[in-house]
Amino acid sequence: MKPFFLLILAILLLPLHLTAETEEMRPATDANIFGHILDATTGEHIPFINILVEGTRIGALTDVTGHYILTNLPVGQHTLVVTGMGFETTRKSVTVEARRTIQVDISVAPTPIPLEEIIITSSPTASGFHYQPTKVFIGEKLQRRGEASFGEMLDGEPGVAMRSLGSAPARPVIRGLDGDRILVLQNGERLGDISETSADHSITLDPLAASRIEVVRGPASLLYGSSALGGVINLMTTDIPDDVTSGTTGVLSLQGASMNDMGAGFGRITHASDQWATSARFSYRQSGEIMTPAGILPGTSMRNYDGAIGFGFNLDNSLGGVSVSLTGQTFGLPVAIDEPGKQKEIQLERQAVHGRWAYRGEGFFDRGLIRFNAARMLQDEVESETEGGITETIIPLNFAKYTLSGTTILQHRPTGIFDRGAVGLNLYAHQKEVGGIEAFTPGEHRFSLGMFTFQEIPLTHIFRLQGGLRIDFQHIGAIPGDLFPLANESRNVVNFSGSVGLNYRPFPGWEAGAQFARSHRNPTINELFANGPHMGAGVFEIGSPQLRDEIGHGGDLFIRYSRNGLQAEIAAFVNHFQNFIIFSPTGLVDTPSGFPVFRYTGDEARLAGGEVSLDWTIIDGLTLGLGADYVRGQRIGNGRENLPFIPPFRYRANIEYDFGWAWLGASFYAASTQNFVAPEEVITQGYNLLGATAGYRLNAAGRHVIILRADNLLNTRYLDHLSRIENRNLLMPGRNFHISYRWFF
């Protein structure tokens, strides 16, 4: 690895060397240019925008007043090039003479910024500069990943795996981290479900409702809370229509899959005038049991509905709105496979109110954003048994959760050495009640109040520094119940998290980013007090009240190239944790339930690895894609044992030819044998999967897109290492043909 990091260091330092050498060799001419860069629409001075002398390495960055100066220029005619995100590239010819200083003011026109370039989740100012690896899925790119859950949609993306217990509860895993170390948000706020607590709980939003998905790999605790050690997945909807054009627009979508006889439908309609808009959406999905190469996997059927109505406004200086959503899910759990006649399923409903208001004004804090999400979720774990034609149903476990999540962000104008920055306040509170004769944890109430600041400092026209700090006060307390009468412990703690990052753009098309972050996570109620069989997940959980807070220190580095039909990225990371809480298999079996026993333990741990991805347009229309990822997790306090539930080394390749009106493609996906397992954890053998895709586009009375996809074409028998199904001899899905249709009007 040492030569690899030396090579990266050399690449990063080369432009500095070239710049210094150029400065030394350039003869003194005392020919200078100064001036201001102006917004052609408003006439305002533009701070921190690049100006370069074309064909040279001579350049500058405007200061907070939009002023620049170029000194000691070569004599003769030159072209000044002004470039900046959100503005058209502008050129202006000038002639410079020795021992003369001239003033040149340049006006540049603002231009819309492509959504793909701005990852809103990673920056409150949406500056477009990246300090850690990010990815966005939107439009047709998102439609091609149509699945029954977000875990299945994102599985295979570099750095993202899937925790599996059937389709419905499948949840993303980023760089080997799971649970509440990964925040899954809806429009920047927590959903209010319990998907992070256990493998049998689902994300309460249908994938068809998402119009955009942003994935941030690496610590994101600064903006979203101290527990976001592994990353953030932001599921964005258009339920609040505050940025739409006048008229009536909509989308109709249908999906079908052969592997589980799945069918789904979705519709959304929006009507807008100049200053207001209303929208409504609804989806319904139903599927049978998953078919594997060895037969049916019982307990994996599902049906759900998801709907919302919203109102939005867009005035001269502000926009926002409110939406109300309703979700219902029923899905089976494959934990009663060896008990004929028995069935276990989850029945849940969630209601939520989401609001947003953004404004532009005068003064130092000239932009602001307020958003909130209030949710109520009820969930029953239902057991039924049929004997002699008579079915008996009981609800041995139920949850009720009430959540309030809100964020206020104030952006300030560039000042001093700082570019546009932000300060914010984040509030999160929930109460989770647990009832039933099989309750394995007490209830919980949690309150967190966080304050943060995010600042960027342009150092030169190619270097940019980011820094931020977050302070959280958090209260967590157990709610005693019939089975946990003595669980009345509470904790009050102040958490500190922060980050320092560097963005570096040495040449056109090149971007490098690095970040070092500190994060802080408090143990959950499950980790502290669990003591009993968790029927839905098929495990016997034992918590530990002595667990201490997790403290994480992580470093990320990425290098990205995007130019001339080639997009490539290489990323590396290392995360070191004190008091890392591990869900460890003990090798024991609880006799009454027959479930394997897992215990929550704490230890010092380290996770390290990286990702590589490449997309190359070989000729017009023909694209080759390659990718790979790897993560290794180990205890480093008490021995060098491997951590459980770490995905194996994976790699992929795909090729596609796009005709414009249609496309054809093929894919190859492989996972290596996972030999680096924790004690009492089962080794999982490697596997290879083949797939194919085709699509058709038609622009007539709207835009129609039809997508055909084949997964696991050879019907390969394989196991996924992150599968949480208790019987590891049960397989993953077999051959599947998937079809989707979308009509945009």
Side-chain angles (χ1 to χ4, degrees):
M1 295 292 288
K2 185 175 180 181
F4 172 74
F5 285 109
L6 289 176
L7 175 61
I8 292 177
L9 183 62
I11 293 173
L12 294 176
L13 294 179
L14 178 60
L16 288 181
H17 170 73
L18 293 176
T19 302
E21 183 179 10
T22 303
E23 293 288 347
E24 280 185 18
M25 297 176 60
R26 191 193 312 164
T29 64
D30 198 24
N32 310 311
I33 300 177
F34 75 94
H36 292 87
I37 308 300
L38 310 173
D39 187 315
T41 302
T42 65
E44 293 184 357
H45 294 184
I46 304 173
F48 308 119
I49 191 170
N50 297 319
I51 181 168
L52 297 170
V53 179
E54 193 169 51
T56 75
R57 292 278 298 170
I58 305 171
L61 192 73
T62 59
D63 62 18
V64 69
T65 68
H67 178 268
Y68 75 92
I69 184 169
L70 302 169
T71 62
N72 208 32
L73 300 173
V75 174
Q77 188 170 9
H78 297 287
T79 299
L80 303 183
V81 182
V82 181
T83 60
M85 184 166 293
F87 295 94
E88 292 182 355
T89 298
T90 304
R91 289 174 166 81
K92 187 165 186 175
S93 297
V94 296
T95 301
V96 298
E97 301 175 4
R99 297 180 297 280
R100 184 184 176 192
T101 299
I102 61 174
Q103 179 175 349
V104 179
D105 294 334
I106 304 175
S107 296
V108 296
T111 184
I113 302 173
L115 286 175
E116 289 84 350
E117 295 186 15
I118 302 295
I119 309 297
I120 301 170
T121 305
S122 63
S123 169
T125 61
S127 67
F129 294 91
H130 304 119
Y131 303 92
Q132 61 193 122
T134 56
K135 189 67 177 288
V136 62
F137 300 95
I138 192 172
E140 191 177 282
K141 187 188 300 184
L142 180 61
Q143 184 187 355
R144 292 194 191 193
R145 290 178 168 263
E147 292 287 358
S149 67
F150 291 103
E152 293 174 322
M153 286 181 70
L154 298 175
D155 185 30
E157 175 66 22
V160 184
M162 173 185 67
R163 179 191 73 192
S164 173
L165 191 73
S167 290
R171 193 174 191 270
V173 174
I174 300 179
R175 292 177 167 178
L177 294 176
D178 191 7
D180 70 341
R181 300 183 183 100
I182 302 298
L183 290 186
V184 179
L185 310 173
Q186 181 179 353
N187 300 316
E189 297 296 328
R190 304 193 189 205
L191 285 92
D193 59 24
I194 56 175
S195 63
E196 74 278 4
T197 61
S198 181
D200 60 326
H201 300 152
S202 67
I203 296 172
T204 52
L205 181 70
D206 191 277
L208 285 169
S211 57
R212 177 182 173 95
I213 299 177
E214 295 183 352
V215 179
V216 178
R217 307 195 303 269
S221 302
L222 182 63
L223 303 180
Y224 300 102
S226 57
S227 68
L229 309 178
V232 168
I233 296 174
N234 197 0
L235 313 174
M236 307 180 74
T237 69
T238 56
D239 292 346
I240 299 178
D242 55 6
D243 187 21
V244 295
T245 56
S246 297
T248 300
T249 60
V251 59
L252 175 67
S253 180
L254 300 172
Q255 285 186 357
S258 64
M259 172 269 300
N260 56 357
D261 295 327
M262 187 270 290
F266 169 79
R268 181 175 62 235
I269 188 167
T270 301
H271 179 72
S273 69
D274 291 337
Q275 294 185 331
W276 62 268
T278 58
S279 70
R281 65 168 171 86
F282 184 79
S283 62
Y284 182 82
R285 184 184 303 272
Q286 183 167 334
S287 72
E289 314 286 14
I290 290 175
M291 178 65 71
T292 78
I296 290 175
L297 180 59
T300 52
S301 63
M302 64 179 294
R303 65 182 182 275
N304 64 266
Y305 64 86
D306 198 336
I309 57 174
F311 169 80
F313 62 88
N314 193 334
L315 306 178
D316 292 339
N317 296 317
S318 66
L319 56 83
V322 64
S323 69
V324 178
S325 62
L326 178 66
T327 301
Q329 294 183 352
T330 300
F331 56 89
L333 297 172
V335 293
I337 297 167
D338 299 325
E339 302 176 86
K342 289 188 177 182
Q343 182 179 356
K344 298 180 183 180
E345 67 179 19
I346 298 288
Q347 298 177 0
L348 69 85
E349 61 179 45
R350 179 178 72 102
Q351 303 90 32
V353 179
H354 182 76
R356 180 172 64 239
W357 177 59
Y359 77 92
R360 291 174 179 262
E362 301 295 333
F364 181 65
F365 289 103
D366 62 339
R367 298 181 188 177
L369 171 67
I370 298 175
R371 62 177 184 243
F372 73 88
N373 185 63
R376 169 183 178 265
M377 193 209 74
L378 304 176
Q379 176 171 308
D380 294 333
E381 297 194 5
V382 181
E383 295 184 11
S384 61
E385 183 174 3
T386 302
E387 187 174 350
I390 300 175
T391 300
E392 181 181 354
T393 300
I394 61 172
I395 303 176
L397 180 62
N398 59 78
F399 299 89
K401 186 175 182 180
Y402 306 89
T403 304
L404 175 63
S405 177
T407 303
T408 298
I409 300 174
L410 298 177
Q411 290 188 34
H412 64 71
R413 293 177 180 270
T415 179
I417 63 172
F418 297 102
D419 198 350
R420 177 170 292 277
V423 296
L425 184 70
N426 178 253
L427 169 70
Y428 176 75
H430 78 235
Q431 177 167 307
K432 183 175 69 173
E433 301 168 358
V434 184
I437 60 174
E438 292 182 358
F440 62 97
T441 69
E444 174 190 46
H445 58 83
R446 184 183 293 258
F447 174 83
S448 177
L449 182 65
M451 297 177 290
F452 63 87
T453 181
F454 179 95
Q455 302 294 333
E456 292 181 284
I457 304 174
L459 301 176
T460 71
H461 66 283
I462 60 174
F463 274 109
R464 177 174 287 249
L465 185 68
Q466 170 264 324
L469 177 67
R470 182 183 178 104
I471 302 174
D472 284 273
F473 167 77
Q474 188 164 113
H475 168 81
I476 177 175
I479 301 176
D482 293 339
L483 301 181
F484 295 88
L486 302 179
N488 58 1
E489 181 179 335
S490 64
R491 293 189 180 193
N492 296 307
V493 64
V494 176
N495 299 342
F496 295 91
S497 55
S499 65
V500 177
L502 182 69
N503 180 273
Y504 178 53
R505 295 180 174 181
F507 306 109
W510 286 91
E511 181 179 31
Q515 179 183 249
F516 176 78
R518 180 191 190 274
S519 53
H520 188 132
R521 174 179 172 268
N522 305 116
T524 67
I525 286 295
N526 285 33
E527 294 166 340
L528 293 170
F529 297 113
N531 187 16
H534 185 177
M535 296 298 177
V539 295
F540 190 100
E541 299 186 18
I542 302 177
S544 174
Q546 290 74 41
L547 289 173
R548 294 181 292 170
D549 295 352
E550 281 185 1
I551 306 295
H553 296 88
D556 282 271
L557 170 68
F558 78 88
I559 299 174
R560 183 179 297 157
Y561 178 79
S562 180
R563 197 172 175 85
N564 300 325
L566 177 63
Q567 298 182 28
E569 181 182 275
I570 180 171
F573 69 91
V574 58
N575 294 318
H576 180 272
F577 298 98
Q578 297 174 349
N579 313 316
F580 188 70
I581 299 173
I582 307 165
F583 191 50
S584 304
T586 64
L588 304 175
V589 175
D590 175 58
T591 302
S593 67
F595 292 157
V597 177
F598 281 70
R599 183 184 297 274
Y600 292 101
T601 60
D603 198 358
E604 190 173 2
R606 179 180 296 131
L607 289 90
E611 303 96 29
V612 177
S613 63
L614 178 146
D615 289 287
W616 178 30
T617 302
I618 303 172
I619 59 174
D620 188 26
L622 182 62
T623 303
L624 173 68
L626 301 171
D629 59 21
Y630 176 74
V631 58
R632 179 77 185 276
Q634 288 182 292
R635 296 173 180 254
I636 57 175
N638 300 312
R640 292 281 176 170
E641 295 176 351
N642 297 304
L643 296 177
F645 302 116
I646 300 296
F649 172 66
R650 308 177 305 168
Y651 52 97
R652 64 168 177 84
N654 60 276
I655 190 167
E656 180 181 292
Y657 189 81
D658 195 320
F659 302 90
W661 53 272
W663 72 88
L664 292 171
S667 63
F668 172 80
Y669 175 87
S672 299
T673 298
Q674 181 55 292
N675 292 309
F676 300 114
V677 296
E680 307 301 333
E681 187 181 24
V682 178
I683 292 174
T684 305
Q685 298 300 315
Y687 56 88
N688 303 320
L689 302 176
L690 292 178
T693 184
Y696 177 73
R697 307 180 184 100
L698 174 65
N699 294 312
R703 185 167 188 267
H704 305 261
V705 181
I706 300 173
I707 298 175
L708 301 173
R709 195 182 73 236
D711 305 316
N712 193 6
L713 267 173
L714 302 183
N715 206 32
T716 302
R717 301 167 62 98
Y718 73 100
L719 298 173
D720 189 284
H721 188 70
L722 300 190
S723 171
R724 297 296 184 91
I725 299 177
E726 58 176 297
N727 186 342
R728 297 303 298 274
N729 293 321
L730 295 165
L731 304 177
M732 299 298 289
R735 184 185 295 113
N736 180 44
F737 295 99
H738 185 280
I739 182 171
S740 67
Y741 162 76
R742 275 210 172 188
W743 172 35
F744 300 88
F745 59 90

